[in-house]
Amino acid sequence: MSQRQPNTERWQDVNEKRKERLKQQALTTLCTFIAVVAIAAIVKTVNNTSVAFAAFAIAIFNSLFPMVAKALTDLEAHYSEGGKQRSLYFKIALFRWANTAVVITIITPFTSTLSDGGLIDQIYALFIAEIVTTNAIQLLDPVGHIQRHFLAPRAKTQDAMNLNMQGQVFELAERYTNMTKILFLTLWYCAIYPGAFFMCSFALLINYFVDRFSLMRTWKRPPQLGGKISEFSRRYFFSLAIVAMAILSSYYWASFPFDNLCRNDGQLDTEYTDGTWVLPDNPIPLTLNKDD
């Protein structure tokens, strides 16, 4: 059992009542749900124009939302930094899982699942966008360059300059969700797109090297937060991800080939059976009726 370190205690929140803390967390969680719905509407609009644009829009929103989630979490009272990181993890994970995987499933028409520009193309575009966008922004580090090369030389005091040179603050919760969103996307669509496992392994490999570079070169040293986030992720994320994989896999296998031919309680619709049809490779008309 890990013990909390003194430098991770949030002494200003020690006397906060439990009822107030729960109220604060409920309000911030509601704001997260509202953000998910709003971004889903934007993604749906962009998706009608281009699948690739929608994928990059999702990746960009995934990169920007942690700043919003951090601002919301700062409004909450927590006994320790580990508890605050766990709350931050929940908000970012909820947004990223829904924005990355669930929204695309909802906005894609059922009969367009296997068609060109349908669900398969969107999944592939999502992986490419997540690999390129997130890691490119992290490597470019625009805020860090501004602090080191513009603000630091113009600082009035030595302390002010040192503060601009200490590196970017990163949230451990955000880094966990950056990994779990890729895993969740893979497990959500693995039945319909088995290639997601290969894309996931490649994405995690790239993320590992980019994170290692940032940890050594551009990020500020974080406090000792303990194992709350890893325990929370291991206990709840992997369980939910496996359940989601089982449910979605059964849905995809039962719905294949996504044509809605048997949409009347399992009975073949006469709209597709009665009439005269001409096959592409056979010029002789083919007449079908409900008795065939």
Side-chain angles (χ1 to χ4, degrees), residues 16-75:
E16 193 73 28
K17 295 181 180 179
R18 180 180 179 86
K19 182 178 179 180
E20 289 298 322
R21 292 193 298 110
L22 293 177
K23 181 181 178 180
Q24 294 168 0
Q25 294 178 20
L27 290 176
T28 55
T29 303
L30 177 62
C31 293
T32 303
F33 276 106
I34 294 174
V36 170
V37 175
I39 297 304
I42 297 175
V43 171
K44 178 176 174 57
T45 303
V46 176
N47 189 67
N48 294 333
T49 303
S50 172
V51 171
F53 287 165
F56 279 96
I58 291 174
I60 292 173
F61 284 128
N62 284 340
S63 299
L64 296 178
F65 182 76
M67 294 185 291
V68 178
K70 185 178 180 180
L72 292 174
T73 309
D74 288 339
L75 301 176

Side-chain angles (χ1 to χ4, degrees), residues 178-190:
N178 188 61
M179 174 189 67
T180 56
K181 73 178 179 184
I182 300 295
L183 291 174
F184 188 76
L185 177 65
T186 301
L187 297 177
W188 187 270
Y189 290 117
C190 63

Side-chain angles (χ1 to χ4, degrees), residues 224-286:
Q224 298 179 2
L225 299 176
K228 282 190 175 182
I229 298 178
S230 60
E231 181 182 354
F232 182 81
S233 179
R234 183 173 62 253
R235 177 176 298 178
Y236 297 105
F237 162 73
F238 287 105
S239 301
L240 290 175
I242 294 299
V243 171
M245 181 185 69
I247 295 175
L248 266 294
S249 296
S250 63
Y251 168 77
Y252 286 132
W253 291 330
S255 301
F256 194 86
F258 305 96
D259 52 12
N260 265 344
L261 284 178
C262 297
R263 60 187 179 185
N264 297 328
D265 298 327
Q267 301 297 323
L268 193 62
D269 199 319
T270 57
E271 177 184 348
Y272 299 98
T273 57
D274 293 350
T276 300
W277 307 90
V278 178
L279 300 180
D281 298 331
N282 186 5
I284 301 176
L286 178 65

Side-chain angles (χ1 to χ4, degrees), residues 85-117:
Q85 288 292 317
R86 186 167 55 187
S87 177
L88 181 62
Y89 174 94
F90 173 77
K91 293 178 181 61
I92 300 177
L94 175 64
F95 179 87
R96 283 180 166 176
W97 297 351
N99 187 46
T100 305
V102 181
V103 169
I104 293 298
T105 302
I106 295 175
I107 67 177
T108 302
F110 180 81
T111 54
S112 301
T113 302
L114 301 181
S115 62
D116 293 338

Side-chain angles (χ1 to χ4, degrees), residues 147-208:
Q147 290 179 339
R148 290 190 296 270
H149 301 295
F150 182 79
L151 297 179
R154 293 164 176 80
K156 302 299 183 181
T157 63
Q158 182 68 39
D159 291 337
M161 187 188 72
N162 292 341
L163 289 175
N164 288 313
M165 298 293 292
Q166 63 183 353
Q168 287 297 299
V169 178
F170 75 97
E171 302 291 345
L172 189 60
E174 191 272 334
R175 302 318 304 164
Y176 263 93
T177 56
N178 188 61
M179 174 189 67
T180 56
K181 73 178 179 184
I182 300 295
L183 291 174
F184 188 76
L185 177 65
T186 301
L187 297 177
W188 187 270
Y189 290 117
C190 63
I192 192 69
Y193 184 54
F197 287 111
F198 297 98
M199 299 294 292
C200 176
S201 63
F202 180 71
L204 293 180
L205 180 67
I206 298 298
N207 287 348
Y208 167 75

